[in-house]
Amino acid sequence: MGLYVSDQPRMAGFYQRALRFTQTDAGDLGPVQLVFLSRDPREHHQLVLATGRPREIGFNVVNQISFRVPDIATLRLFHDRLLAEGALDMHPVTHGNAVSLYCRDPEGNRLELFVDTPWYCEQPLREPIDLSRSDEAILAQAEAIARRFPKFMSRAQWQAEVARRMQEDQRG
């Protein structure tokens, strides 16, 4: 994912401090300065910040940038870091199939950090949750919400069904 930014040092610092990205490279490509960031040593970059964002941008066509985290404890940790680094518009929610944290970076780009749950339920679905509750309470709430929907199933069942449909589509 690459984003045009207005204040590259500020934005690079935000992603490095709040989400613990590592700068892997930086340099000029003609008049554009680029900063490459990654959280995975197998990936040279997962996020690129490029100078040149217009002052008056009418509409950001990027809906959100989503990052998977391993567990709810990590989600809480990033919640606190994001707030400390100036993230705005913080919303912890459940989708039934995931527990997510939505916010905006300092230049208004929407971020989602999420952890998968063991369930599938129909989407879209978005209900608020309280991250101060225990992991068990949060997961119980997410499961109760997911079970309200007629197509509720385990994530493994859903993945097997989607894999079957994808094979059919590839043959198609």
Side-chain angles (χ1 to χ4, degrees):
M1 168 74 63
L3 294 175
Y4 284 106
V5 297
S6 298
D7 185 340
Q8 191 180 54
R10 178 181 183 210
M11 294 296 285
F14 171 82
Y15 282 97
Q16 289 170 303
R17 290 185 304 272
L19 297 180
R20 297 302 198 245
F21 275 90
T22 296
Q23 181 174 316
T24 60
D25 259 322
D28 297 342
L29 186 61
V32 176
Q33 291 79 50
L34 301 170
V35 171
F36 299 89
L37 303 168
S38 185
R39 290 181 40 93
D40 183 342
R42 297 169 297 176
E43 301 290 340
H44 175 266
H45 61 277
Q46 295 171 302
L47 183 62
V48 178
L49 303 177
T51 59
R53 182 177 177 145
R55 282 193 181 273
E56 299 298 324
I57 189 165
F59 181 80
N60 188 345
V61 297
V62 177
N63 175 283
Q64 68 190 36
I65 306 168
S66 299
F67 300 103
R68 183 186 315 273
V69 299
D71 51 42
I72 293 172
T74 305
L75 199 62
R76 278 191 203 91
L77 179 67
F78 282 126
H79 174 273
D80 295 344
R81 285 182 184 158
L82 286 160
L83 283 175
E85 292 298 328
L88 307 168
D89 200 23
M90 191 75 65
H91 297 282
V93 302
T94 182
H95 300 293
N97 65 349
V99 175
S100 297
L101 176 63
Y102 288 92
C103 66
R104 299 218 177 251
D105 73 15
E107 292 192 4
N109 300 295
R110 186 165 68 160
L111 307 177
E112 176 195 23
L113 285 79
F114 71 96
V115 59
D116 289 324
T117 67
W119 315 287
Y120 164 79
C121 66
E122 297 163 82
Q123 299 298 311
L125 166 66
R126 182 174 162 152
E127 292 198 20
I129 58 156
D130 181 354
L131 283 179
S132 69
R133 297 176 68 203
S134 70
D135 293 6
E136 295 77 18
I138 291 170
L139 287 173
Q141 179 183 3
E143 182 178 9
I145 290 167
R147 284 185 180 277
R148 293 191 324 226
F149 292 85
K151 294 182 183 175
F152 172 84
M153 64 183 77
S154 73
R155 179 172 294 278
Q157 288 173 298
W158 178 81
Q159 287 173 334
E161 171 60 20
V162 169
R164 184 192 61 74
R165 289 180 17 225
M166 287 179 177
Q167 284 178 339
E168 287 177 9
D169 289 346
Q170 294 302 313
R171 282 187 239 130

